[in-house]
Amino acid sequence: MEVEQFQKEVGLTTEQCARIDNIFQAALPKLRESKEELDKQETKLSNLIAESADEARVLRQVDRVEAIRASLNKMRTLMLLHERQVLTPDQLVKFKAAYAQWEKDHPRPPRPGTSREMPHNH
């Protein structure tokens, strides 16, 4: 589903689209920064495991990775919450239906050990 079709189907106004885009654009730099840090720390963890580092070092690195992952997920969830708060109750119902159809049309295989992630839409 194209963005314009999605906007029309949900009934988003130009102002709502701008507000949602502003929320997304405001969050994007921090999300990118956190994702880059997560990737860096996951690589470091993989290297420690490959080196057969001692368990204490590996566990400390796991704690770093999971703290960054939790922070990233929290930021993303709050961004999505703020975007949804722009919608009226009727638009929210239409959004859920349109999103369910989008998911059906664009299945993504889950990554091992993770739940399915919802792509960013507005």
Side-chain angles (χ1 to χ4, degrees), residues 56-109:
R57 285 181 63 203
V58 171
L59 288 176
R60 280 193 302 272
Q61 188 61 26
V62 167
D63 287 343
R64 283 187 198 107
V65 166
E66 293 308 318
I68 295 166
R69 187 185 324 277
S71 176
L72 182 60
N73 286 334
K74 190 183 299 185
M75 282 187 285
R76 186 178 163 280
T77 298
L78 286 174
M79 178 193 70
L80 294 173
L81 174 66
H82 295 155
E83 289 176 344
R84 289 171 64 112
Q85 289 172 337
V86 172
L87 305 178
T88 66
D90 184 53
Q91 287 173 326
L92 189 53
V93 169
K94 291 175 183 176
F95 170 82
K96 288 177 183 177
Y99 181 73
Q101 184 61 50
W102 187 92
E103 274 194 320
K104 188 176 177 183
D105 294 343
H106 300 86
R108 293 191 328 173

Side-chain angles (χ1 to χ4, degrees), residues 19-85:
R19 288 176 60 198
I20 290 170
D21 190 55
N22 287 340
I23 292 166
F24 177 72
Q25 293 301 327
L28 191 58
K30 187 66 176 163
L31 290 169
R32 281 189 180 143
E33 180 183 314
S34 292
K35 176 65 170 107
E36 288 170 7
E37 183 63 20
L38 177 61
D39 291 345
K40 176 181 164 186
Q41 295 302 323
E42 283 180 331
T43 297
K44 187 173 180 180
L45 175 59
S46 294
N47 291 340
L48 287 173
I49 292 168
E51 297 167 3
S52 297
D54 67 86
E55 187 172 324
R57 285 181 63 203
V58 171
L59 288 176
R60 280 193 302 272
Q61 188 61 26
V62 167
D63 287 343
R64 283 187 198 107
V65 166
E66 293 308 318
I68 295 166
R69 187 185 324 277
S71 176
L72 182 60
N73 286 334
K74 190 183 299 185
M75 282 187 285
R76 186 178 163 280
T77 298
L78 286 174
M79 178 193 70
L80 294 173
L81 174 66
H82 295 155
E83 289 176 344
R84 289 171 64 112
Q85 289 172 337

